[in-house]
Structures are given as structure tokens and as C-alpha cells.
Amino acid sequence: MPQATPPDNPDMLIGANVSVAKTGLLAAVEETLSYGANTYMIYTRSNRGGKARPITEFHRDEALRIMDEHGIVDPVVHLSYLVNLASPKADTWEYGVSVLREEIERVEYLGFRYIVMHPGSHVGEGQAYAIGRIAEALNDILTGEEKLWLCLETMAGDGSKVGNSLEEIAEIISRVHHHERLGVCIDTCHNYSYGYDVVNDFDGFLQRFDDIIGLERLKVVHVNDSKTPFGSRKDRHANIGEGSLGLEALKRIVHHEALRGIPRILETPGQRYGEEIDLLLDRTRAQAPVTG
Ligand code: FE
Ligand code: FE
Ligand code: ZN
């Protein structure tokens, strides 16, 4: 039983990272409805590795019917953390290539439009090496026939991550032949931690995004507060309104007109997504319109 009704404005796509345990997409959809949300993100395979659960066991058809009924659109799939296309190690790189290739097939079976992936970690080889390595992998994988967008996520600059700056993301894109299949996912926690002041100047950030990458590539937004300060280069998500970004800034971002129709996905701790989405949308459960 939904606790709140999803936003009726189709431009305001908002949801969270939900579970596909047991019943696959049916679980994801049920959890999404409980948050009064209208989109969601899933991982189709465990981040601990192992063989992927067959995608035919995700109850696609029934889930799509319920989604249609409730106006849930444009779910996002996040690629496994175990994929590192920047790795200098052949076995790690090849594993990543095979998992991503398989994930594209799995997501196309589901009929979803977006895969989000972390560009990778250079583990000591440096950004230039890593960018070449990632582009090599994407050139191996992408045929241009894909029906989805592969979205590179901007990172926080922690460890030896690649794709922290907009320039690094643009550089990867420029080296991929079928770059028409590439999009970008921004993450408010990562961007602020890396040193983009999305709190005081989100417009300036978007302007730079447009200049360096092109806003038409912005496909997914991760909405997270941060446990660490501006420029800290750490990746520690905080609950909405409880971190260094704060509720007002995150509200401004979520409601920014440039984000219309783009899935906004929360990846905050503690599964308090319902109350956090309510906060962002100025919605109270008592006010939420009730429908059958
Ligand atoms: Fe991510
Ligand atoms: Fe993220
Ligand atoms: Zn993160």
C-alpha cells in the first residue's frame, strides 16, 4: 500500500536506490511506491561479485504493467562497483568489459534507457593512462546499436578515481567512437566534495557542464548530502539536510529547470528515502493526495 502518491508532474522524476531482492523489479516498484516516488535505481547484480541472477527472473512484464499504471518511468541501472575499466591488470579489465557487455544486454531486455557507471580507478597509473584504458574498453563494447545511454558518473576525487572533473569526463567521451551512446550522471555529494560549489553556484556548475560536456548529455542526477566538507575529496553520503550541502541547496538543485524530466536518484544511508523525498518536494504525508 503506497504511503504517498508519486508527484503528478512528469518533469519531477525522483526516486531512490531500491532493492531487487527476491522478486526483482516487483520489489523495486513496490519500494518505489512506498516512497511516493516515480522513478528508481537498481543494481541488477551483487556488488560482492558472483554470477548474475538471470534477468528473466526479474518479473519484467508484470513490473512494467504496474509502473505504467502508477506513472513510474525511466528507471536507472547502476553497474557493479567491481567493474574497473581503468585497471592496468588484464584480468580485471577483461572482467569489466565482459560484465558491462552483459549488463547492456540485460538492461536492454528490461527496456530501460540508462546505465550509470563509475569511470574507474587508475590504481597508480595516473589519469591519462586510465582515460585511454577506459576509452579502449568502451570502444571494444559499444557498437552504436545500443538502445540505451551509458552514463559516466562524476566522482569525488577520492582514492585514484577517474572522472572527477568535467574535463576528465569530456576527455573520455571524446575518445569513444560511439560517443552518441554516452551520457553523464552527476552526483551532488561527489561534485561538492571534489570542489564544484553546487551549493552556492549550481548555475555556474551547469554552465561549465554545458561548456565542457554539453547539457544534452546530462541524463541522471544522484541527489545526496555529504558527510564531509566542500573540497574534501571524500565520498561519504549523508542523509538529505544532514550534511555539508544542506536541505535548501539540495532543494534548489532538485527543482532546477535544467533537470526537468531527468531522473533524480537518492543514494543516502538508512533507507529513509520516503521522508527525504517528502522534504525535497515540500510534501507532507497528510497532504499527499490519495488515489486508488
Ligand atoms: Fe555511483
Ligand atoms: Fe552516485
Ligand atoms: Zn558516492
Side-chain angles (χ1 to χ4, degrees):
M1 187 67 199
Q3 292 157 14
T5 303
D8 28 326
N9 177 1
D11 291 336
M12 178 50 79
L13 286 185
I14 191 161
N17 177 26
V18 297
S19 164
V20 291
K22 296 197 178 89
T23 56
L25 294 186
L26 290 177
V29 168
E30 191 182 345
E31 191 180 339
T32 296
L33 288 172
S34 80
Y35 301 143
N38 56 4
T39 189
Y40 59 89
M41 186 173 81
I42 58 169
Y43 291 79
T44 81
R45 55 199 298 155
S46 164
N47 279 314
R48 291 182 299 274
K51 211 169 159 330
R53 200 163 126 211
I55 201 70
T56 49
E57 292 173 11
F58 277 60
H59 301 277
R60 175 193 67 182
D61 295 347
E62 199 184 342
L64 289 178
R65 194 180 49 70
I66 300 169
M67 285 163 61
D68 198 48
E69 206 173 288
H70 291 273
I72 298 178
V73 295
D74 265 342
V76 176
V77 170
H78 198 304
L79 187 65
S80 161
Y81 290 146
L82 300 177
V83 171
N84 181 11
L85 300 182
S87 178
K89 284 167 55 193
D91 54 346
T92 304
W93 186 85
E94 278 157 20
Y95 169 80
V97 168
S98 73
V99 168
L100 177 51
R101 208 175 256 140
E102 187 181 59
E103 197 66 3
I104 290 172
E105 272 175 38
R106 289 159 65 81
V107 175
E108 288 191 338
Y109 169 84
L110 297 177
F112 298 173
R113 300 205 295 163
Y114 305 119
I115 295 177
V116 167
M117 63 173 287
H118 296 179
S121 293
H122 64 70
V123 290
E125 300 291 323
Q127 291 281 340
Y129 169 87
I131 286 169
R133 193 85 164 143
I134 295 163
E136 187 190 349
L138 296 180
N139 282 328
D140 257 24
I141 295 164
L142 294 175
T143 63
E145 301 294 305
E146 291 80 10
K147 289 172 205 73
L148 49 75
W149 296 85
L150 184 58
C151 302
L152 301 168
E153 182 169 356
T154 50
M155 306 311 290
D158 51 315
S160 68
K161 298 267 171 70
V162 191
N164 309 299
S165 70
L166 300 174
E167 285 83 358
E168 286 160 27
I169 296 280
E171 180 69 24
I172 298 169
I173 292 170
S174 75
R175 296 204 198 183
V176 174
H177 304 311
H178 292 296
H179 60 80
E180 72 276 11
R181 301 314 331 152
L182 294 180
V184 177
C185 168
I186 58 172
D187 183 310
T188 53
C189 166
H190 300 176
N191 300 142
Y192 194 63
S193 287
Y194 182 64
Y196 288 114
D197 191 356
V198 296
V199 168
N200 297 300
D201 190 16
F202 187 60
D203 280 313
F205 173 73
L206 288 177
Q207 185 61 56
R208 285 173 77 175
F209 189 107
D210 196 31
D211 293 343
I212 296 166
I213 296 172
L215 266 181
E216 66 283 356
R217 291 212 197 255
L218 179 57
K219 300 298 181 192
V220 180
V221 176
H222 286 169
V223 181
N224 301 308
D225 214 326
S226 173
K227 287 186 177 164
T228 61
F230 176 68
S232 58
R233 289 186 161 228
K234 294 220 166 63
D235 183 5
R236 305 271 318 278
H237 299 188
N239 287 105
I240 302 298
E242 298 178 10
S244 57
L245 282 86
L247 179 60
E248 289 316 307
L250 290 170
K251 264 192 194 174
R252 276 199 304 278
I253 292 169
V254 158
H255 291 276
H256 197 286
E257 58 164 19
L259 270 50
R260 275 201 229 145
I262 295 177
R264 304 150 176 88
I265 305 289
L266 281 70
E267 309 171 287
T268 50
Q271 242 141 343
R272 291 160 47 192
Y273 295 128
E275 59 178 90
E276 293 181 285
I277 292 171
D278 287 350
L279 272 177
L280 288 166
L281 299 187
D282 278 320
R283 193 172 66 177
T284 64
R285 289 301 162 115
Q287 280 175 341
V290 178
T291 57

